[in-house]
Amino acid sequence: VRNWKTRATVIVMIAALALLGGVVASSPSQGEPVESFAPGPPEAPVVVGNTTGGGQGVSDFTLTEEEKATALHIIESDAHVGEIFKGVDWHVKLIGPITEGLQKIGVAAIIKFDGAIWMEDTFSPYYPSGYSYVAKLWVRNMFVYVDLRDSKIVGLTPNMGRAPITSSITSPITSEEHAAAAEISLGHPLARALGENVQAYLTAVYYTDDYPQGIVLFNVRSEQGEAMVAIDLDKMVVVEQYTTSVESLER
Amino acid sequence: MNDIFRKVGKARFLGPAVIVVVALVLISNLAYAYTTSNLKVLSIQEDRFYNYDCDDAEVIIEDFEWGSDGTSLGVEPPLGAVDWTVTKFGYGTASAKIDTSQHHQGTRSAEFYSNYNGWDINAWVLASYPEYRPQWRRFWARTSGVSGITTTGWVTATGDGQHFLSVRVQLGGRLQYRQDSYWWHDTNPVFKIRPNRWYFIEFRNIDWEAATYSIYVDGNRVQDGVPMVPGTDWHGLDYNGITSYATDDTYDAGGGSFWIDDIPVVGGPPSSTGVTCPATMVFDTNAQTSKVKDVIYWGTASPLFATTDYALLNDGDGWIWDGDRGTKKAYNIYIPEIEDWVDVYVHLRVYAPDSTDYMSNSEWGKYVIGTTHFDEGSILELWYGFNEDAENFFAGYANAKGLTISEDIIYFNNYENRVELIIHPIWGIPTYYYWFNDGYATVVNVP
């Protein structure tokens, strides 16, 4: 046991140093090299359990510098991306491999914008099905998928973000729809439970096969908390399936 | 949330001072526990906990817990139904039926009984299911221990309508495989099957092009490179399915039984391509799944949002299947990899056998295993994963509820760091899985 303790102590210290290195490495800075997904597996001294064979079972799908550079070049030179990102500051925060089975097939990049930006576009997040949907939404960050085999972008996934308190963006739905949907969202029990001064902020409108006329998501919030209320724009009713209270950690 | 929560959830990113504190906490905890464990896990990636697809309805476990008689073997609704066809070739009282005296888990299994001396006296069942060219077939099997009785149990599977994979328990309790149309072969070395004991038998490393596979028993490889048997029709198993039956081909009047149980009839292979949720948490000391959910429980947003997932565990007392929809809630949360706040659903599933609601060993006491991940927070759930961040979240949440935690203290060898493209089991479309995990699990002490 003593030997184990000593070894474990050393290991934990190594792990702590590795974590410390991660902290240093993760400090974002525009103009510096883009950080890759974590550099490799941790030390593996204490294997819990009876193994059924040797080996660590750790996969190595590390991107080469050339692959990273190629992916970044594809992102930066893509016309569609250029159109979406036009006029906004964006940064590639993290880049790493996409795998399919045990094959490294591409690169995933996490893009972050300086603040929330409004997007309206047709997105094809899934490779290679051709599935797409129309969305109009506030975005703070998004994922871009590059197929290195075809040297092209095969997926864009904007992550729904918080709407700013004030905005010059024209509502993507009619003023009548907006007013009615906002009123419905504020009347939902989750919104009423938030007490006084509850505000409804349009966060996103998705147009999918299930909601061809659109489903609008309102972020309703007050000092007491927040919730997401989804409204079917065709029937102008709350879609409870997508309506939920939202916890938020202290920022 | 309170300060403790924030420290735990974001420890790695708050600076060196916090890291040192965390390291000291880890060292102090290491001094009294978690030195070894008998915990055994099943995977071709060795000691990785294997957990079936997140958010999936992909794996249907045929556990024979449903259905009213021997002609209506079924799986738990509403997941679906396996079309088991029960046929009795034999004479006398040969039968295929649900049995309540023997079961791997739950209360029932399927029993095949033969009591006639002669070839091809069988009671058997056939199940067809849609997975084409699966990379993995597995089931539990048990033979009776009647003295002098050599009733043989067979299990045969296919997956392309052109080949078969077969094992049987033969005279003397040897596990054998068939590699041509007529002859059975012992494994090398011979693998003895003892009566009255459940065995977990798998066909792995299935190569449909080369028409070979490996046979595993209780997680150990017992034969490699087994040739498939060519053929297009095996007792009605004409396309894709699994069949099992008992026969007495030794002319000793039979009278024995062969049982099978807990057959995942649709699902991925035990490989990195199929793993989606690594085990990231251990709730120990005096834990039960119900207790954990008392602490961390929000229910689930809807059936669509939290489908049952499955885990396979073994702590020395046999393989354990468990399924759990888990608990799930919308959060706006900071994801370090994105360096931003993102709307997600936080999702925790916990696993332990239904019979006890916990596992146990001398070091961890009563414990349950947890998996953690985030789901993208819009109506589309466009991605999921970030298992390590989700682990930190749930550890912090448990800590904020007053439970002691030891972050990243057990090494489970399930490190991953990539984005995996998978087919979403519900919607059938490609989905990205942000498969990030440091290989270590966090322990939460549940008093």
Side-chain angles (χ1 to χ4, degrees):
Chain A
V1 173
R2 178 174 299 170
N3 290 339
W4 183 90
K5 285 181 184 176
T6 303
R7 186 171 56 169
T9 303
V10 172
I11 289 154
V12 169
M13 293 180 72
I14 292 172
L17 290 172
L19 292 173
L20 182 59
V23 170
V24 174
S26 65
S27 301
S29 176
Q30 188 173 3
E32 293 182 356
V34 175
E35 184 189 350
S36 290
F37 296 165
E43 294 291 330
V46 187
V47 176
V48 177
N50 304 320
T51 63
T52 56
Q56 296 299 314
V58 174
S59 306
D60 181 10
F61 299 104
T62 306
L63 292 177
T64 65
E65 292 302 319
E66 182 180 1
E67 288 171 332
K68 293 178 195 175
T70 299
L72 289 173
H73 176 72
I74 292 170
I75 294 171
E76 290 167 351
S77 59
D78 183 85
H80 189 200
V81 168
E83 184 180 337
I84 293 175
F85 293 180
K86 187 177 181 180
V88 300
D89 292 327
W90 59 280
H91 316 268
V92 178
K93 303 307 296 185
L94 200 64
I95 193 166
I98 300 173
T99 59
E100 185 173 18
L102 296 178
Q103 299 294 318
K104 182 170 61 177
I105 62 172
V107 172
I110 297 176
I111 307 289
K112 185 180 177 184
F113 303 103
D114 287 346
I117 67 170
W118 180 254
M119 284 188 185
E120 296 186 7
D121 213 314
T122 299
F123 298 100
S124 299
Y126 304 119
Y127 166 86
S129 68
Y131 171 82
S132 65
Y133 65 95
V134 173
K136 303 174 181 180
L137 71 173
W138 287 104
V139 179
R140 294 169 57 93
N141 50 72
M142 68 185 301
F143 301 155
V144 178
Y145 305 108
V146 178
D147 187 339
L148 288 176
R149 298 168 301 186
D150 297 334
S151 297
K152 67 179 182 181
I153 290 177
V154 292
L156 294 172
T157 302
N159 291 318
M160 186 176 67
R162 290 288 182 275
I165 301 297
T166 59
S167 162
S168 60
I169 298 296
T170 303
S171 176
I173 56 180
T174 68
S175 57
E176 291 80 8
E177 287 176 325
H178 192 134
E183 183 177 352
I184 291 171
S185 66
L186 290 170
H188 191 274
L190 288 177
R192 293 204 304 267
L194 296 175
E196 302 293 326
N197 299 320
V198 182
Q199 301 294 319
Y201 299 95
L202 190 152
T203 302
V205 184
Y206 291 96
Y207 301 87
T208 67
D209 292 343
D210 290 338
Y211 301 98
Q213 303 304 312
I215 179 171
V216 59
L217 303 182
F218 278 93
N219 174 249
V220 294
R221 60 180 186 253
S222 73
E223 291 184 352
Q224 294 186 32
E226 61 181 313
M228 183 169 73
V229 181
I231 296 171
D232 181 342
L233 285 174
D234 182 31
K235 299 173 183 174
M236 204 53 85
V237 296
V238 171
V239 182
E240 293 291 347
Q241 185 176 9
Y242 302 119
T243 296
T244 178
S245 62
V246 178
E247 302 294 331
S248 185
L249 305 186
E250 182 182 344
R251 300 190 184 191
Chain B
M1 291 299 154
N2 61 26
D3 289 342
I4 294 175
F5 180 92
R6 295 181 64 211
K7 285 178 182 176
V8 172
K10 298 170 61 179
R12 296 173 191 175
F13 306 91
L14 293 181
V18 175
I19 294 299
V20 171
V21 170
V22 171
L24 291 173
V25 170
L26 291 173
I27 292 169
S28 65
N29 280 288
L30 282 168
Y32 71 84
Y34 316 123
T35 54
T36 61
S37 168
N38 291 322
L39 194 63
K40 188 176 183 181
V41 296
L42 176 70
S43 166
I44 62 170
Q45 301 235 357
E46 284 77 40
D47 35 280
R48 179 197 305 276
F49 267 103
Y50 185 67
N51 305 279
Y52 298 91
D53 294 330
C54 282
D55 288 334
D56 77 285
E58 184 176 13
V59 178
I60 299 172
I61 307 298
E62 174 54 87
D63 57 8
F64 304 100
E65 293 297 306
W66 296 80
S68 58
D69 55 41
T71 62
S72 181
L73 310 181
V75 300
E76 178 180 1
L79 290 178
V82 178
D83 182 20
W84 286 94
T85 300
V86 179
T87 304
K88 187 175 70 171
F89 281 157
Y91 302 90
T93 56
S95 63
K97 63 181 181 180
I98 289 175
D99 181 38
T100 57
S101 64
Q102 301 294 342
H103 47 86
H104 173 257
Q105 286 195 83
T107 60
R108 316 197 304 183
S109 64
E111 177 188 10
F112 313 105
Y113 175 80
S114 180
N115 70 338
Y116 188 82
N117 56 327
W119 290 93
D120 290 326
I121 307 305
N122 310 293
W124 61 297
V125 297
L126 165 68
S128 295
Y129 43 95
E131 189 182 17
Y132 181 71
R133 289 196 165 193
Q135 297 178 51
W136 193 25
R137 288 280 192 248
R138 65 278 196 196
F139 53 90
W140 275 260
R142 179 187 176 109
T143 62
S144 63
V146 179
S147 177
I149 301 302
T150 56
T151 296
T152 300
W154 289 17
V155 174
T156 297
T158 184
D160 66 352
Q162 299 178 26
H163 300 90
F164 300 94
L165 301 73
S166 297
V167 292
R168 70 171 183 177
V169 180
Q170 179 55 295
L171 179 68
R174 303 196 305 271
L175 185 75
Q176 295 186 314
Y177 60 90
R178 196 164 196 160
Q179 69 175 35
D180 52 50
S181 298
Y182 301 102
W183 302 107
W184 291 91
H185 300 262
D186 289 324
T187 59
N188 184 18
V190 171
F191 191 90
K192 293 290 186 64
I193 294 285
R194 288 185 283 124
N196 295 322
R197 180 188 185 282
W198 283 100
Y199 288 90
F200 182 49
I201 300 174
E202 301 168 272
F203 302 140
R204 288 202 217 168
N205 309 325
I206 302 174
D207 185 337
W208 291 99
E209 296 300 324
T212 60
Y213 62 102
S214 303
I215 299 172
Y216 283 69
V217 179
D218 288 348
N220 299 303
R221 187 173 56 232
V222 299
Q223 188 68 45
D224 255 337
V226 180
M228 298 179 188
V229 178
T232 58
D233 182 9
W234 186 303
H235 295 289
L237 188 64
D238 57 358
Y239 172 61
N240 187 16
I242 187 167
T243 184
S244 183
Y245 52 103
T247 183
D248 172 31
D249 52 13
T250 54
Y251 302 92
D252 64 358
S257 292
F258 181 72
W259 293 270
I260 61 172
D261 206 349
D262 292 339
I263 307 168
V265 293
V266 179
S271 71
S272 59
T273 58
V275 175
T276 53
C277 272
T280 52
M281 302 193 79
V282 176
F283 298 87
D284 77 348
T285 308
N286 198 25
Q288 292 178 269
T289 56
S290 57
K291 279 188 176 181
V292 173
K293 290 187 174 181
D294 282 344
V295 176
I296 306 172
Y297 185 75
W298 310 295
T300 51
S302 78
L304 175 65
F305 279 152
T307 52
T308 301
D309 198 2
Y310 296 92
L312 181 61
L313 314 167
N314 190 337
D315 198 0
D317 295 325
W319 295 103
I320 296 164
W321 277 105
D322 190 35
D324 188 30
R325 287 180 60 197
T327 189
K328 188 171 179 178
K329 186 173 177 57
Y331 260 84
N332 186 248
I333 198 166
Y334 185 85
I335 297 181
E337 288 83 357
I338 305 176
E339 298 181 13
D340 206 353
W341 297 82
V342 181
D343 281 313
V344 299
Y345 294 99
V346 296
H347 198 167
L348 167 74
R349 290 187 175 96
V350 288
Y351 298 102
D354 291 338
S355 57
T356 57
D357 210 24
Y358 62 84
M359 292 182 287
S360 66
N361 62 40
S362 59
E363 295 196 36
W364 298 352
K366 296 178 180 177
Y367 71 94
V368 301
I369 298 295
T371 67
T372 54
H373 67 278
F374 295 150
D375 296 294
E376 192 262 337
S378 79
I379 67 169
L380 300 173
E381 293 201 22
L382 295 165
W383 50 261
Y384 66 96
F386 295 99
N387 314 91
E388 186 65 27
D389 298 323
E391 173 190 334
N392 290 339
F393 170 86
F394 282 105
Y397 191 92
N399 190 251
K401 291 287 186 177
L403 301 182
T404 301
I405 67 165
S406 302
E407 190 178 22
D408 288 336
I409 197 171
I410 298 177
Y411 186 68
F412 274 153
N413 196 23
N414 53 9
Y415 167 89
E416 289 294 347
N417 186 34
R418 55 190 168 120
V419 179
E420 172 77 348
L421 180 64
I422 67 166
I423 303 298
H424 196 287
I426 296 177
W427 298 298
I429 54 179
T431 301
Y432 289 105
Y433 169 38
Y434 284 77
W435 191 1
F436 296 156
N437 188 43
D438 69 357
Y440 291 84
T442 291
V443 171
V444 178
N445 298 129
V446 179

